[in-house]
Amino acid sequence: MGQDGFRVPSRIHDIGSLVVQTKQWSSKPSVEDLWMAYLLVCVPAERTNDEIHALQSWFYQEVEEQGYELLLSL
């Protein structure tokens, strides 16, 4: 947790909406595309680079652990 109370989420909320958004941008979406959708939709613009990197690390781990990349191929 940072000085302003920043902490990485415990789970990705509303993954279905992110997958739908990602599929609108790309005909063959990747996990990187899913990350960009998450970044644009869920991460406030005032986050620092360190906070964004922490979120990115958490995001890729969460995607792998939960198998969310399978949703991209549906």
Side-chain angles (χ1 to χ4, degrees):
M1 181 159 40
Q3 297 172 347
D4 68 348
F6 171 77
R7 68 177 77 203
V8 296
S10 59
R11 298 214 39 138
I12 297 175
H13 295 288
D14 205 4
I15 189 69
S17 293
L18 286 176
V19 169
V20 168
Q21 184 72 46
T22 302
K23 287 184 174 186
Q24 290 174 351
W25 294 336
S26 174
S27 60
K28 293 186 177 187
S30 66
V31 173
E32 290 79 21
D33 296 325
L34 193 61
W35 160 246
M36 289 307 298
Y38 183 82
L39 183 62
L40 292 171
V41 173
C42 300
V43 179
E46 65 272 2
R47 292 291 166 217
T48 66
N49 284 340
D50 287 343
E51 290 170 338
I52 289 172
H53 288 303
L55 278 171
Q56 187 176 25
S57 294
W58 162 82
F59 182 87
Y60 281 99
Q61 181 178 347
E62 181 77 0
V63 165
E64 183 177 321
E65 287 177 4
Q66 301 300 325
Y68 291 142
E69 70 275 3
L70 296 175
L71 293 174
L72 295 172
S73 63
L74 297 177

